[in-house]
Amino acid sequence: MAEANLSHVKEFILLGFSDLPNLQNILFGIFLYIYINILIGNGLIIVITKIDAALQTPMYFFLGNFAFLEICYTSVTLPRMLSDLWTHNKNISFLACAAQLCFFLILVVTESLLLAVMAYDRYVAICKPLYYTLIMNHKVCVQLVVASWITGLPILIGQTFQVFSLPFCNSNILNHIFCDMPPLIKLACGDTSWNEVLLYGVVVLFGFIPFLLILYSYVRIFITIQKLPSVVGRSKAFSTCSSHLMVVGLFYGSGIIAYVQPKTRYVTGIEKMLSLFYTIITPMFNPLIYSLRNKDVIEAMKKLFSK
């Protein structure tokens, strides 16, 4: 009888910003502007790290890959949001929703791991400078980037399959801006406590542990910087880390808060704002953070524009 009362959901309705009907066109313009800025800003980072000879170092190799990841990461959610705002069609198929969630999770985890790799690169450069070129050779850098992309694949694909195996009863209205894990678990009927436990496990494994590794790397870095005899040397060493620290704070701060909320404490408005922050706002500001606080990047951009 319980199974008979369950209806198979073939599509979801993403409410998005439907509670703001008079602002749909304005929101479309704002998000389109943000998306163009993300593509141009991160695209410039990719170009200059490829063509400028002064930026052919592991740090900028990781930065170029990070910029490419930001474009992919934003493109999973933002074009769909723009389409919904323009056409006012909120429907998304079951398969498209599952694909969006799967790619989104893979890219989020990749970004988390890549941020940890970038922190490790700074740790080796500052704490073990004599061994830097030996440890961070090109082969190792490529392996670290590839590992960041593929490490979480099996777990995240399995996590997506498990979420979409849940019964969604008679409701297919997803009060969110894209297909994300917390609102989908909230929408499911029955006991989802096990799914919440697994979600927290993924957050700990691919969010909290990399964050602790980053924190440990920077504790060691700051201890080493304090021992440098020259004030100029300390300032230069810290400047190479400050941009990365700001990006880490923006990404982990909003992302972890959004994902550690249990279903019983889920607040839709706050969740939407946090999701906007770590999926759109952070990728838009990252190129600015890295360019405005990095003299090498500024010089490379001047050379590029002068040509």
Side-chain angles (χ1 to χ4, degrees), residues 207-228:
F208 191 61
I209 291 178
F211 179 73
L212 287 179
L213 293 174
I214 293 171
L215 193 61
Y216 173 77
S217 297
Y218 276 105
V219 168
R220 296 292 301 273
I221 286 170
F222 290 143
I223 292 172
T224 303
I225 289 175
Q226 291 302 315
K227 294 179 181 178
L228 294 176

Side-chain angles (χ1 to χ4, degrees), residues 286-298:
N286 285 350
L288 290 174
I289 292 170
Y290 278 111
S291 60
L292 294 177
R293 299 184 62 86
N294 192 305
K295 293 180 180 179
D296 293 334
V297 173
I298 292 173

Side-chain angles (χ1 to χ4, degrees), residues 153-177:
L153 282 178
I155 296 174
L156 298 173
I157 292 172
Q159 183 87 341
T160 303
F161 177 80
Q162 187 183 47
V163 168
F164 281 90
S165 297
L166 291 169
F168 290 100
C169 302
N170 295 314
S171 177
N172 67 337
I173 299 175
L174 197 61
N175 192 6
H176 202 53
I177 55 177

Side-chain angles (χ1 to χ4, degrees), residues 227-241:
K227 294 179 181 178
L228 294 176
S230 169
V231 175
V232 176
R234 288 198 296 268
S235 177
K236 186 177 179 181
F238 183 75
S239 66
T240 63
C241 304

Side-chain angles (χ1 to χ4, degrees), residues 76 92-107 160 164 179 184:
V76 170
I92 182 171
S93 69
F94 189 87
L95 184 60
C97 189
Q100 186 183 57
L101 175 65
C102 187
F103 282 115
F104 175 74
L105 291 177
I106 290 170
L107 292 169
T160 303
F164 281 90
C179 293
L184 281 165

